[in-house]
Amino acid sequence: MNIQKKRNHFPDRKAEDRVKDFQEVGLPIDFELAQKEAGRCLQCKHAPCITGCPVEIKIPEFILEIKNAQIKEAYHIIRKDHFLPSVCGRVCPQEKQCERLCVLAKTGEPVAIGKLEKFVGDEAIQKQYNQSSKIKTIPGKKAAVIGSGPASLACAGELIKNKIAVDVFEALHKIGGVLVYGIPEFRLPKKLIEKEIGVLKQMGVQFFEDSVVGRTIVLEELLSEYQAVFIGVGAGTPLFLNIPGEKLNSVFSANEFLTRINLMNAYAFPEYDTPIPNASDVIVIGGGNTAMDAARNAVRLGAKKVTVAYRRTENELPARKEEYHHAKEEGISFRFLISPLEIKSDESGKAQSVVFQKMELGAPDEKGRRSPIPIQDETELIQADMVIIAIGTQSNPLLPTISPKLKLNSKGYLMVSENLETSIPNVFAGGDIVTGAATVIQALGAGKKAARQILKKLEKE
Ligand code: FAD
Ligand code: SF4
Ligand code: SF4
């Protein structure tokens, strides 16, 4: 069989148009294109792609249904393993997961599994294959879910499907966790999340916004009303560099910068209350998805020059490949092997420039990544009137206020058993608050796994 080595082209909006607004970069995928790409799949018997997916979606099966024009079937195959194909098709780091192990990658390009998943997810939303009616729950069995990111949504969805009433408590005024406050609209349109949350509501899940567990309500109170609790509070507290100048005006954590734009609509100030300063030369420090998101937002806010500074090289860049590619298309400059030493200010107390230490790569660390080492006496000054720090996140130091009885590991993340149960019986946890910063699909997988353990426990009781 003669298989096309290169994947089909899935078009994006032109870079010069998309930098002018916050609308989605990728254009909708039509059926003919999806079917053509599905036709490249070899339907491998041992399907190595499946082992690359954290929730082990039956990839060849759903692709075959696309080939056969049975999109509803394709959707239900994916739904067995997770419920957000339109999200994961857009944001999964496929090149490190399912697509990395596709056999076609050995001789050419892998099947575009993510794009096909996006196509199926979007069709399901548009044609309402994802709809469900109100579920009659079992009396006297109720679970509380803390946080409303992907781990919590997956847990709530699995519980309600199995007739357990669920109440979700979210600290912010919007449901969705990083999917709404972190990942920008141009990568993941908010209406998709709203629609999926709408389905959970239809099924009977109740959402309580502005409810900080540990402040407005504590775990012990929840345990007196609910038979089980799931904690999915994420790890959204930003890390800082601890260098001089970090507290200057117009130095932001990426977390604050993105939240102001995504959640508080700062780009539309003064129509909305939250401002964001105008900047001409922006430096983003970091190399992950958060750094790309911050840099691409800065371009859209009108910055003349945006530079991402990363202390390793392009080869070690942790961001999704597609995000890096899109960022370059949008005119963002990349500077590798430099690490900030100091942020200098102008006379008004605003950032003016950053002094960088030049680096080289040394021996690999415990994860196999080569460590950056300073090159003695080699520094560089780069002008910047805004600096955004995107070097990672950690668990919230307020976590113990949820309950002092929760056991944490040395890094401040929740300790759980193999069944995702915490040190408190009937209290489960999953997602970033257990693993540290990870991915959406890993969080979805953990939420579902925890729900299954909760179901087992509640069945016994
Ligand atoms: P979160 O999504 O962090 O949700 C936790 C929720 O809990 C939040 O809404 C928070 O407000 C709430 N909460 C916290 N404390 C309390 C409390 N005490 N009471 C009530 N509620 C509380 N992953 C990918 O796979 N692909 C990507 O492209 C990608 N891009 C990213 C871009 C950015 C900017 C960021 C920050 C992360 C990105 N990630 C990406 C990582 C991914 O989003 C996370 O791994 C995932 O969202 C973790 O899900 P979660 O449910 O554990 O927590
Ligand atoms: Fe690949 Fe993510 Fe879909 Fe799994 S969920 S098949 S990793 S795109
Ligand atoms: Fe299809 Fe690639 Fe998976 Fe084989 S490895 S079944 S070609 S997606």
Side-chain angles (χ1 to χ4, degrees), residues 52-55 57 59 82 88-89 92 94 97-98 113-114 117 441:
C53 170
V55 298
I57 288 177
I59 295 168
H82 80 89
C88 291
C92 263
Q94 289 100 5
Q97 299 182 339
C98 51
I113 302 169
E117 196 170 318
I441 189 64

Side-chain angles (χ1 to χ4, degrees), residues 222-241:
L222 291 177
L223 281 170
S224 65
E225 196 185 328
Y226 299 88
Q227 287 69 50
V229 175
F230 174 77
I231 305 178
V233 293
T237 304
L239 288 168
F240 285 95
L241 293 154

Side-chain angles (χ1 to χ4, degrees), residues 207-358:
F207 290 94
F208 299 92
E209 293 91 353
D210 303 311
S211 307
V212 188
V213 178
R215 287 284 152 97
T216 45
I217 187 164
V218 292
L219 187 66
E220 281 66 26
E221 285 174 83
L222 291 177
L223 281 170
S224 65
E225 196 185 328
Y226 299 88
Q227 287 69 50
V229 175
F230 174 77
I231 305 178
V233 293
T237 304
L239 288 168
F240 285 95
L241 293 154
N242 294 321
I243 59 169
E246 219 169 4
K247 295 202 166 65
L248 290 170
N249 286 335
S250 68
V251 178
F252 287 89
S253 70
N255 183 295
E256 180 184 346
F257 182 71
L258 292 171
T259 305
R260 278 180 186 238
I261 299 166
N262 289 332
L263 208 61
M264 323 296 274
N265 303 323
Y267 54 85
F269 180 81
E271 198 185 320
Y272 287 85
D273 289 342
T274 306
I276 197 116
N278 288 328
S280 168
D281 288 343
V282 178
I283 289 186
V284 180
I285 294 163
N289 288 323
T290 310
M292 301 305 128
D293 287 342
R296 297 175 69 197
N297 265 310
V299 167
R300 284 161 173 78
L301 287 173
K304 288 204 177 65
K305 185 158 191 255
V306 180
T307 307
V308 173
Y310 179 53
R311 62 190 183 142
R312 291 185 166 92
T313 73
E314 186 182 33
N315 295 335
E316 289 81 29
L317 206 68
R320 288 181 77 226
K321 221 169 154 187
E322 189 179 45
E323 261 37 88
Y324 174 47
H325 168 71
H326 281 157
K328 284 200 299 186
E329 278 185 345
E330 290 166 10
I332 291 159
S333 310
F334 283 80
R335 290 295 314 273
F336 297 107
L337 290 168
I338 54 171
S339 177
L341 290 174
E342 181 184 355
I343 304 169
K344 289 189 177 283
S345 80
D346 63 11
E347 51 296 335
S348 70
K350 247 182 91 185
Q352 189 180 49
S353 59
V354 183
V355 184
F356 284 96
Q357 165 73 62
K358 292 193 182 174

Side-chain angles (χ1 to χ4, degrees), residues 41-44 48-49 60 102-103 111 113:
C41 174
L42 301 174
Q43 293 293 312
C44 311
C49 51
C102 171
V103 292
V111 173
I113 302 169

Side-chain angles (χ1 to χ4, degrees), residues 87-88 90-94 97 145-154 168-184 187-188 208 210-217 230-237 254-255 258-259 262-263 288-294 297 319-320 323 390 392-393 396 398-399 401-402 430-444 446-447:
V87 172
C88 291
R90 284 173 168 82
V91 305
C92 263
Q94 289 100 5
Q97 299 182 339
V145 168
I146 310 175
S148 69
S152 298
L153 296 177
V168 177
F169 298 89
E170 166 57 49
L172 297 173
H173 64 276
K174 248 197 183 154
I175 301 298
V178 173
L179 303 182
V180 296
Y181 82 74
I183 303 181
R187 278 215 289 138
L188 183 60
F208 299 92
D210 303 311
S211 307
V212 188
V213 178
R215 287 284 152 97
T216 45
I217 187 164
F230 174 77
I231 305 178
V233 293
T237 304
N255 183 295
L258 292 171
T259 305
N262 289 332
L263 208 61
N289 288 323
T290 310
M292 301 305 128
D293 287 342
N297 265 310
R320 288 181 77 226
E323 261 37 88
T393 54
N396 192 321
L398 294 178
L399 187 63
T401 61
I402 293 180
D432 282 6
I433 193 52
V434 171
T435 55
T439 63
V440 171
I441 189 64
Q442 281 169 298
L444 287 170

